[in-house]
Amino acid sequence: NAGVTQTPKFQVLKTGQSMTLQCAQDMNHEYMSWYRQDPGMGLRLIHYSVGAGITDQGEVPNGYNVSRSTTEDFPLRLLSAAPSQTSVYFCASSPSLSETQYFGPGTRLLVL
Amino acid sequence: GENVGLHLPTLSVQEGDNSIINCAYSNSASDYFIWYKQESGKGPQFIIDIRSNMDKRQGQRVTVLLNKTVKHLSLQIAATQPGDSAVYFCAESLRSYKLIFGSGTRLLVRP
């Protein structure tokens, strides 16, 4: 198993541009989530999904959209990038509620 | 609101010594706790977890202790090695998928 994969590894955007961060897992996990991590801080939950077709907001959802059309994929969309969205983004998955989450390697995003 | 915090932002230990990383949580109803290790440039890596119906759980060289009376969680690493150098996060959740992470403690292992 590849586990949780994320693409791209690094991205530079200009303010106002849009883009999609990709996340995929091959462990057949029902639960997937997106976090952002700012320098020297812990992770904050952006959005999460408890299964295909079901998504919900986390702590910091503004400026981000998600969808879950398949069990494997959980893309995160930035509609109009802002410098405040400069961060490292991590995707995670877990087999069921309140079980261990497995994290991807992260995507470093710089918004100029 | 829910809050998970750490007492020590940086911990420096001698190689071979035992390390103890502490974490305080504010939600007494939280029922699941996890410790993650994060190395530079990588995603968090699961170390050990514990549910609220337990006080102690042991893994390979690691032990997690949960004191619900004072809402305190600790991670003990035995015989600390240079490869243990990383940032350690505790996280809590309440019967949900929403993990709330603390701000992290950096562990430095001196040779």
Side-chain angles (χ1 to χ4, degrees):
Chain A
N1 288 348
V4 180
T5 58
Q6 292 183 238
T7 57
K9 291 184 178 180
F10 183 72
Q11 182 71 47
V12 179
L13 291 178
K14 294 181 179 179
T15 296
Q17 287 185 314
S18 63
M19 79 160 294
T20 299
L21 280 64
Q22 301 292 342
C23 174
Q25 53 91 10
D26 61 359
M27 298 173 282
N28 201 32
H29 286 172
E30 289 293 325
Y31 299 88
M32 297 185 73
S33 58
W34 276 102
Y35 294 85
R36 60 176 288 172
Q37 184 176 33
D38 298 312
M41 296 182 65
L43 285 77
R44 291 183 293 169
L45 182 65
I46 303 172
H47 285 285
Y48 68 101
S49 169
V50 298
I54 306 170
T55 64
D56 205 349
Q57 297 181 346
E59 299 175 75
V60 288
N62 293 339
Y64 307 95
N65 279 354
V66 292
S67 60
R68 185 94 180 272
S69 56
T70 67
T71 299
E72 295 77 20
D73 301 296
F74 191 42
L76 178 72
R77 283 183 290 275
L78 282 70
L79 303 177
S80 179
S84 61
Q85 293 178 305
T86 293
S87 189
V88 181
Y89 291 84
F90 290 101
C91 178
S93 74
S94 70
S96 64
L97 201 65
S98 290
E99 288 198 39
T100 303
Q101 295 193 35
Y102 298 90
F103 285 82
T107 293
R108 293 183 176 274
L109 177 66
L110 174 62
V111 183
L112 302 175
Chain B
E2 296 169 332
N3 180 44
V4 176
L6 298 175
H7 298 303
L8 300 173
T10 303
L11 177 64
S12 180
V13 300
Q14 190 73 37
E15 181 179 355
D17 287 351
N18 296 335
S19 302
I20 299 177
I21 301 172
N22 296 303
C23 175
Y25 63 94
S26 59
N27 189 344
S28 59
S30 292
D31 59 0
Y32 182 56
F33 305 88
I34 308 174
W35 280 102
Y36 283 95
K37 172 187 180 182
Q38 187 176 27
E39 297 175 285
S40 180
K42 296 183 179 180
Q45 177 185 1
F46 169 82
I47 301 174
I48 192 168
D49 60 359
I50 188 169
R51 298 194 183 274
S52 58
N53 61 351
M54 301 174 68
D55 296 324
K56 178 180 180 179
R57 192 167 187 214
Q58 289 184 295
Q60 188 175 14
R61 280 202 309 119
V62 294
T63 300
V64 55
L65 299 177
L66 176 62
N67 186 332
K68 295 180 288 293
T69 301
V70 295
K71 292 182 289 186
H72 185 267
L73 192 69
S74 69
L75 176 70
Q76 300 179 359
I77 304 174
T80 311
Q81 303 169 359
D84 294 328
S85 292
V87 177
Y88 290 80
F89 294 96
C90 64
E92 64 176 293
S93 76
L94 172 59
R95 295 189 301 276
S96 75
Y97 189 56
K98 295 183 181 181
L99 282 181
I100 305 298
F101 282 81
S103 56
T105 291
R106 183 175 300 279
L107 177 65
L108 300 176
V109 182
R110 305 188 303 272

